[in-house]
Amino acid sequence: MQVGSYKRFYFPHPGFVAHKLVLRLHGSTDIPPLATVDTLTATGSYLDFIFAPRHLHALSLVGLHVQIPPSGAEGNGTKYLSGSSGPNTTVVDQITADQSELEVTAERGKPPVRFFIHTLTLRDVSGSKPMSYEVAFRNPIPVGELRAQGRLGPLKRSDLGSTPLSGRSTLTDLDLGVFHGISGKLQGENSFHGLLSRVEITGSTDIPDFRVGEGQPEHLATRFHAYVNGMEGSVALDRVQAVADRTRIDVSGDIDRKRGSRFAFQVKSGRIQDLMRMFARDGAPLTGAAVLHGDAFVPPEHEHFLKALQMSGTFVLSDLHFTHSQTQQTIDGFSQRASGTAPKKKNADMVAPTVLSELKVQRVVLRDGVAKFTDLLFAVPGANADGSGTFNLLNKQVDVMGTLRMDTNLSNATTGIKSFLLKPVDPLFKKKQNGTVAPVHLSGTYSHPMVGLRLPGDKK
């Protein structure tokens, strides 16, 4: 350790002040110092000098800067704690290190991660028993404020991961916007206990304005149970229950800062509108019941969440109603004509009864912002269509090809001049019994879809 200057004092309590302290790993000067301190003040008492010579009343550190080398680098890890494994009999009643900084050096070419510590207080500090702590700091990624208090130790120098840890913490205003493609401000609280290498955490979070891309803000609340490896920076999500309005999403998985994050998710009985609002700029286009499950992977580093997200799964949407009135009226009218129950010409102005739709997808795979569907089935009374295709989550382009089946002839499912023009091609798509089987193509965009009939000879 290097000390710039040192001065003792005796009144009203004995102690000393040291300036410009530099702590190096085993005196090595070819790597940055582990810690620097602008000013260190130690205060004792005269009675301690007589009865407890290894006892200090207080240590105050001003301008503390701790630098942790990158993972895998020479001198990284807990090596700086090595030394005598015997018990340390020195006791400090209280250590404070306000306005400090912890800097974790990243891998080559990447900026360091800095934790700005507003307040830090340790009490009953010794090498043989637990100490209590209170800390408030600014989290770097995502940016937000954290407060924690609890018990730590005694430190296991030969195996730091076996050091006991417990306490409670609160999180405020964590800005999720740092993960490009999602946004929202997170609040949370939790309690934890265990060892540094396996800390069991139970808690909750609340995001009143969560959204993906240009979606609408959605209130997203979670309750979770997880295990954290403080030595590796990884998290095992044992159980997460996320609630969006009236829909619960069950999630489990792992978060690893090097290998990325993997999740399994399911919705047993939810509402599609609760899930779609956070993705849709103009609100959910559908209401109805939703059942889904799948797996997702997010790489450790990415420029945009929707581009990076990899997902596969299946879903069933039932009792669907389109929120855009014109779209729903079109579906209603088509269902009525496809089932052969359309009113006669003299009653042509009658409004078709409202029908509910169903959408099933046996498998969807998302890569690079594009969802690929297979075994897709859309059904309304009187008609159904199956097929496969893609949907681009970034530009909202739709491209689906499939087969349409109706209870009536093709010409009967249309009105006006279209019905007259389609009569000659009815035999091409007619089933043995009354009805139609015809290839169709869905294209356009999410907000302006176009449905067309693929006639024989059309290019695929």
Side-chain angles (χ1 to χ4, degrees):
M1 177 185 290
Q2 299 174 334
V3 180
S5 63
Y6 174 86
K7 180 181 180 180
R8 295 179 179 177
F9 56 83
Y10 301 95
F11 298 100
H13 303 285
F16 67 86
V17 177
H19 298 280
K20 302 302 179 183
L21 285 77
V22 179
L23 175 64
R24 296 186 179 277
L25 178 64
H26 304 307
S28 177
T29 58
D30 58 345
I31 59 175
L34 285 172
T36 60
V37 182
D38 291 339
T39 304
L40 183 150
T41 303
T43 305
S45 71
Y46 287 106
L47 287 177
D48 288 339
F49 284 160
I50 299 173
F51 299 105
R54 300 184 67 86
H55 182 273
L56 281 176
H57 174 65
L59 279 178
S60 174
L61 294 83
V62 177
L64 171 66
H65 180 270
V66 179
Q67 182 168 314
I68 305 298
S71 176
E74 179 67 23
N76 178 256
T78 61
K79 188 176 179 181
Y80 67 94
L81 292 173
S82 63
S84 174
S85 58
N88 188 338
T89 58
T90 300
V91 177
V92 183
D93 290 339
Q94 179 172 292
I95 298 177
T96 59
D98 299 343
Q99 304 306 313
S100 303
E101 181 179 344
L102 172 63
E103 179 178 323
V104 181
T105 305
E107 298 175 0
R108 181 175 299 179
K110 299 178 182 178
V113 179
R114 294 185 173 92
F115 297 82
F116 296 98
I117 301 172
H118 309 307
T119 59
L120 172 62
T121 302
L122 306 175
R123 295 185 176 88
D124 300 324
V125 181
S126 74
S128 59
K129 63 179 183 179
M131 70 183 79
S132 65
Y133 64 87
E134 295 180 12
V135 62
F137 65 93
R138 185 185 186 194
N139 193 67
I141 302 176
V143 175
E145 298 296 323
L146 283 85
R147 288 183 173 272
Q149 60 182 15
R151 304 278 287 176
L152 171 67
L155 294 177
K156 308 291 186 180
R157 295 194 176 198
S158 59
D159 183 11
L160 190 61
S162 297
T163 300
L165 172 69
S166 62
R168 300 184 62 86
S169 69
T170 60
L171 307 84
T172 56
D173 294 330
L174 265 70
D175 188 357
L176 301 181
V178 67
F179 307 116
H180 300 298
I182 65 175
S183 61
K185 290 292 184 72
L186 182 147
Q187 328 290 327
E189 59 182 23
N190 61 71
S191 61
F192 51 89
H193 67 276
L195 308 178
L196 283 179
S197 59
R198 185 174 171 82
V199 184
E200 184 176 359
I201 300 181
T202 302
S204 61
T205 65
D206 189 86
I207 312 172
D209 55 349
F210 180 79
R211 61 180 178 179
V212 181
E214 298 180 346
Q216 293 188 341
E218 177 73 61
H219 186 183
L220 188 66
T222 72
R223 299 186 65 83
F224 63 88
H225 179 257
Y227 294 91
V228 175
N229 187 329
M231 308 303 296
E232 298 181 357
S234 59
V235 180
L237 297 173
D238 174 57
R239 182 176 63 256
V240 179
Q241 294 181 353
V243 177
D245 203 341
R246 301 182 190 176
T247 297
R248 193 181 91 179
I249 311 163
D250 294 310
V251 181
S252 61
D254 298 283
I255 301 174
D256 190 288
R257 61 188 179 90
K258 290 184 177 181
R259 294 187 288 269
S261 303
R262 296 185 181 276
F263 306 99
F265 60 89
Q266 66 173 346
V267 174
K268 296 180 179 179
S269 178
R271 304 193 312 176
I272 186 59
Q273 60 266 37
D274 298 339
L275 301 174
M276 294 190 71
R277 273 193 299 265
M278 64 185 78
F279 292 88
R281 180 178 59 184
D282 299 323
L286 295 168
T287 65
V291 176
L292 59 91
H293 62 85
D295 299 287
F297 171 71
V298 182
E301 298 179 3
H302 59 269
E303 294 182 357
H304 194 283
F305 177 75
L306 287 179
K307 289 182 179 180
L309 177 62
Q310 302 175 22
M311 187 181 72
S312 62
T314 182
F315 61 84
V316 176
L317 310 180
S318 57
D319 296 332
L320 295 179
H321 183 273
F322 290 84
T323 56
H324 191 275
S325 59
Q326 184 59 52
T327 302
Q328 182 61 44
Q329 289 172 16
T330 300
I331 294 293
D332 297 340
F334 170 74
S335 174
Q336 190 179 49
R337 294 189 297 273
S339 59
T341 60
K344 301 300 181 180
K345 201 167 188 180
K346 61 180 180 178
N347 298 318
D349 294 335
M350 293 178 60
V351 177
T354 300
V355 299
L356 299 178
S357 311
E358 183 178 54
L359 176 63
K360 296 181 180 179
V361 174
Q362 291 297 323
R363 180 170 173 80
V364 56
V365 176
L366 176 64
R367 294 288 188 278
D368 300 320
V370 178
K372 294 183 179 180
F373 301 93
T374 55
D375 296 326
L376 179 152
L377 174 65
F378 178 77
V380 294
N384 67 76
D386 58 24
S388 60
T390 62
F391 175 64
N392 191 311
L393 275 69
L394 304 176
N395 61 21
K396 306 299 189 291
Q397 288 287 331
V398 183
D399 186 9
V400 177
M401 290 190 176
T403 300
L404 172 67
R405 296 174 177 84
M406 297 186 298
D407 293 346
T408 189
N409 294 335
L410 185 65
S411 59
N412 292 337
T414 59
T415 58
I417 188 64
K418 290 183 180 180
S419 174
F420 176 77
L421 294 176
L422 287 174
K423 280 189 178 294
V425 300
D426 269 342
L428 298 176
F429 305 112
K430 192 172 183 180
K431 296 189 295 184
K432 291 182 179 180
Q433 292 82 25
N434 290 334
T436 297
V437 178
V440 291
H441 181 207
L442 175 64
S443 60
T445 64
Y446 167 81
S447 56
H448 295 90
M450 295 181 292
V451 180
L453 181 68
R454 290 191 295 125
L455 298 175
D458 285 353
K459 294 182 179 180
K460 294 185 178 179

